[in-house]
């Protein structure tokens, strides 16, 4: 299980750069890492995805230099591995898997921290929206204890930063409201957190927070959802984009029913803007629109 707030999944240990050092520790300093990347490094494809605290992985190889090849079991990727998303993690960011215990809860703050006790010292900083944990008891003075991988004793965070893990499918209003909270999060290729995120990461994380597990990549997300005729889409659906004779390369969340003259709006992690934006589709984006999908 992942024992840091956000663990980065790499294409290869050999592609990790000197600037990436803050992302490799335990705890991982993901905010500092992203702040230290230049514009080109933020979109370097050496990063495949990210995993959140408590995610389960299947370890398939451990190298003597401290790298582990894993399959991220909670990030479906039929094209790459039917078991989940494969890649490399720093082994220091993993802890032995434990049996589930306690009421499932999910982090509902964009970023929070786990502490030794109510108002105590920070033990695990940078825990992000969508992280699933298990409650370790009732709230005390506005603080809630939770179990965290790699820690024998419960850790604490503000009770208002948690929500009960959803058990029913979300409605479109919940999807729209959740996604809107991520507007202005910076663009990071492979990103899957409130520190930095890419287009398919935004879709995956929004629905993960609401209890729906979607594939990690845009093309797989399109396959896993139901096509809707363009013109019949509604808020909460997905728009997909591809160039002629190529795979889907971009995805976004529909935020309004289409209007006259084919005017469409979506919320997406945009490479051009280098952040999450809600906008009317510009002409160059409309030119590559290939479909709408419903979850």
């Amino acid at each position: 299980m992942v024992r840091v707030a956000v663990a980065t999944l790499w294409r290869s240990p050999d592609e990790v750069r000197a600037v990436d050092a803050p992302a490799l520790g335990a705890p991982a300093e993901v905010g500092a890492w992203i702040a230290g990347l230049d514009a080109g490094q933020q979109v370097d494809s050496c990063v495949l995805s990210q995993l959140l605290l408590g995610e389960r992985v299947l370890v398939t190889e451990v190298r003597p230099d401290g790298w582990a090849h894993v399959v991220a079991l909670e990030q479906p990727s039929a094209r790459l591995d039917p078991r989940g998303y494969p890649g490399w993690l720093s082994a220091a960011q993993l802890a032995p898997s434990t049996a589930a215990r306690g009421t499932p809860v999910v982090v509902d703050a964009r970023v929070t921290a786990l502490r030794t006790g109510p108002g105590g010292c920070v033990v695990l900083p940078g825990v992000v929206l969508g992280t699933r944990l298990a409650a370790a008891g009732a709230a005390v003075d506005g603080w809630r204890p939770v179990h965290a991988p790699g820690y024998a004793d419960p850790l604490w965070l503000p009770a208002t930063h948690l929500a009960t893990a959803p058990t029913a499918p979300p409605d479109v209003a919940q999807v729209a409201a959740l996604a809107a909270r991520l507007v202005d999060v910076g663009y990071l290729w492979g990103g899957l957190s409130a520190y930095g995120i890419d287009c398919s990461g935004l879709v995956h994380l929004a629905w993960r927070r609401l209890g729906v597990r979607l594939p990690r990549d845009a093309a797989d997300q399109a396959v896993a959802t139901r096509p809707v005729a363009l013109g019949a889409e509604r808020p909460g659906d997905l728009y997909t984009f591809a160039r002629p004779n190529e795979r889907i390369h971009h995805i976004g969340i529909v935020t309004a029913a289409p209007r006259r003259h084919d005017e469409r709006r979506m919320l997406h992690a945009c490479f051009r803007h280098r952040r999450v934006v809600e906008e009317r589709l510009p002409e160059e984006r409309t030119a590559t629109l290939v479909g709408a999908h419903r979850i």
Side-chain angles (χ1 to χ4, degrees), residues 115-126:
R115 300 171 180 264
T116 55
C121 297
V122 172
V123 175
L124 194 53

Side-chain angles (χ1 to χ4, degrees), residues 74-244:
E74 298 176 41
Q75 298 187 28
S77 180
R79 179 176 57 89
L80 299 176
D81 190 315
R83 300 170 296 180
Y85 213 102
W88 292 88
L89 288 178
S90 169
Q93 298 180 334
L94 297 175
S97 181
T98 57
R101 50 181 177 166
T103 303
V105 290
V106 60
V107 172
D108 193 46
R110 274 183 39 159
V111 179
T112 188
L114 302 186
R115 300 171 180 264
T116 55
C121 297
V122 172
V123 175
L124 194 53
V127 177
V128 296
L129 179 78
T131 300
R132 296 177 71 91
L133 299 167
V140 176
D141 296 330
W143 295 80
R144 190 82 185 270
V146 294
H147 298 293
Y151 295 87
D153 297 325
L155 301 179
W156 297 73
L157 73 166
T160 56
H161 290 184
L162 284 175
T164 301
T167 57
D171 59 36
V172 293
Q174 289 175 295
V175 173
L178 191 285
R181 292 171 56 191
L182 295 168
V183 167
D184 288 332
V185 169
Y187 187 93
L188 176 71
W189 183 279
L192 191 67
S193 83
Y195 287 111
I197 204 161
D198 66 12
C199 66
S200 57
L202 174 66
V203 170
H204 177 91
L205 183 62
W207 265 269
R208 175 195 286 205
R209 161 61 187 89
L210 296 171
V212 177
R213 182 181 297 180
L214 290 180
R216 174 60 180 87
D217 287 342
D220 290 334
Q221 289 170 352
V223 172
T225 51
R226 178 165 60 90
V228 176
L230 285 173
E233 67 269 27
R234 64 191 187 197
D237 289 341
L238 305 174
Y239 283 134
T240 54
F241 302 83
R243 298 178 183 88

Side-chain angles (χ1 to χ4, degrees), residues 12-29:
S12 166
D14 300 330
E15 295 185 33
V16 176
R17 309 151 297 191
V19 72
D20 300 322
L24 305 179
E29 299 176 4

